């Protein structure tokens, strides 16, 4: 769960041995309860206090705002039908691979209530799909490309004896937040293919390249994306989430130890990105959705300063 943007709600102690305890917390989404729904001017979420987030808490007075963005209701290829109002020949098959659409959750089986999937992390104050195309989980993939920060002589920069890590970040056009250059996993695509494609489109602007340049760029990306370490897979505390539709992701770290592979790529913002830059990983960073947790996890695993 999101560490920075989610809060502690209740505690319990797990006994680990003589005088050793681990305090664990039930985590609540925060960005998925922001007052004004992302991308709208006047759609206000029904206020959900911390103690009423879990579905296990009885709350007869709960009346979430029903909102699905006009862009989603136009039924683009990436969106489901609103089968509540439009007759559908075939209903979505939740909790399974539905043709080419993966409706399974990294969080396990989710509940279906009155024919609709229920957000596994609790109430959000909005029902419907908001800006999300799919009922239930909407799958994304986030490539975290990292290298060591170096000075002019090529020496790795350190802070308090630990090396400093930086990652490729893009500035989103929709909310102007800095973020990992990821994107949605399209039906039939694999996570690995999406990781490469989204990095190319958002951080290198491959959509605007001619075929020859695009081919060379894709080769450089493939070289950079050899290997990779999965950092996270699961629910994302995203401002687009609703009671019936939510974001999930697989975040993978691609680390360039020497910096040579990164030297073969030229960053250029494209597609949904308004800007792109190398950002030093630190606790002070403010990033989109749960992205700060992913990059801090990478820094921790690499023994970097943060």
């Amino acid at each position: 769960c999101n560490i920075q943007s989610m809060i502690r709600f209740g505690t319990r102690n797990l006994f680990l041995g003589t005088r050793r305890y681990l305090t664990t917390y039930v985590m609540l989404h925060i960005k998925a309860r922001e007052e004004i729904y992302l991308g709208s001017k006047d759609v206000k979420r029904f206020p959900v206090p911390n103690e009423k987030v879990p579905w296990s808490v009885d709350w007869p007075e709960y009346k979430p705002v029903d909102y699905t963005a006009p862009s989603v209701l136009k039924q683009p290829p990436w969106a489901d039908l609103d089968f509540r109002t439009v007759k559908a020949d075939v209903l979505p098959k939740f909790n399974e691979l539905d043709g080419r659409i993966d409706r399974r959750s990294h969080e396990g089986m989710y509940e279906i209530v009155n024919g609709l999937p229920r957000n596994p992390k609790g109430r959000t104050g909005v029902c419907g799909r908001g800006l999300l195309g799919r009922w239930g989980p909407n799958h994304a993939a986030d490539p975290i490309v990292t290298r060591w920060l170096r000075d002019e002589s090529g020496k790795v920069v350190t802070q308090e004896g630990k090396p400093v890590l930086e990652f490729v970040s893009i500035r989103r056009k929709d909310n102007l937040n800095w973020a990992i250059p990821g994107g949605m996993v399209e039906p039939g695509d694999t996570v690995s293919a999406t990781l490469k494609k989204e990095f190319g489109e958002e951080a290198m602007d491959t959509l605007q390249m001619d075929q020859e340049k695009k081919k060379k760029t894709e080769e450089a990306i493939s070289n950079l994306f050899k290997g990779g370490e999965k950092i996270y897979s699961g629910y994302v505390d995203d401002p687009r989430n609703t009671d019936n539709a939510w974001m999930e992701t697989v975040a993978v770290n691609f680390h360039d130890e020497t910096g040579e592979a990164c030297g073969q790529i030229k960053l250029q913002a494209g597609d949904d990105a308004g800007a792109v830059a190398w950002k030093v990983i630190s606790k002070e960073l403010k990033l989109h959705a749960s992205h700060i947790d992913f990059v801090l996890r990478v820094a921790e695993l690499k023994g970097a300063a943060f």
Side-chain angles (χ1 to χ4, degrees), residues 76-107:
W78 45 266
D80 292 332
L81 279 171
D82 191 340
F83 56 84
R84 300 175 301 170
T85 58
V86 179
K87 184 177 180 180
D89 295 330
V90 180
L91 294 176
K93 297 177 181 178
F94 297 120
N95 282 305
E96 60 182 279
L97 188 60
D98 185 8
R100 300 177 68 207
I101 302 171
D102 193 349
R103 301 188 188 276
R104 297 169 295 185
S105 170
H106 294 295
E107 301 288 336

Side-chain angles (χ1 to χ4, degrees), residues 23 31 37 39 66 103 107 111 117 134 154 156 178 182 185 200 215 218 238 243 255 269 272 278 285 295 300:
T23 301
K31 295 183 179 180
Y37 187 86
D66 193 337
R103 301 188 188 276
E107 301 288 336
E111 292 182 299
R134 305 293 178 195
V156 175
W178 286 93
V185 180
K215 182 179 179 181
E218 289 175 344
D238 192 288
D243 289 357
H255 180 66
D272 297 328
W278 286 98
L285 274 176
V295 296
E300 181 183 23

Side-chain angles (χ1 to χ4, degrees), residues 151-205:
D151 60 22
E152 294 181 355
S153 68
K155 184 179 179 181
V156 175
V157 175
T158 61
Q159 289 181 358
E160 299 180 351
K162 291 185 177 182
V164 176
L165 197 63
E166 55 182 0
F167 77 107
V168 175
S169 181
I170 58 101
R171 193 176 189 187
R172 295 172 62 97
K173 291 180 180 178
D174 58 356
N175 59 13
L176 302 183
N177 287 339
W178 286 93
I180 298 166
M184 307 305 294
V185 180
E186 296 180 2
D189 274 2
T190 62
V191 169
S192 59
T194 301
L195 290 165
K196 295 178 184 178
K197 184 185 70 161
E198 292 297 332
F199 184 83
E201 291 178 357
E202 295 194 342
M204 300 184 69
D205 199 19

Side-chain angles (χ1 to χ4, degrees), residues 125-145:
V126 170
C127 59
R129 284 174 292 160
L131 285 167
L132 299 177
R134 305 293 178 195
W135 295 102
N138 288 253
H139 293 289
D142 291 311
I144 308 170
V145 175

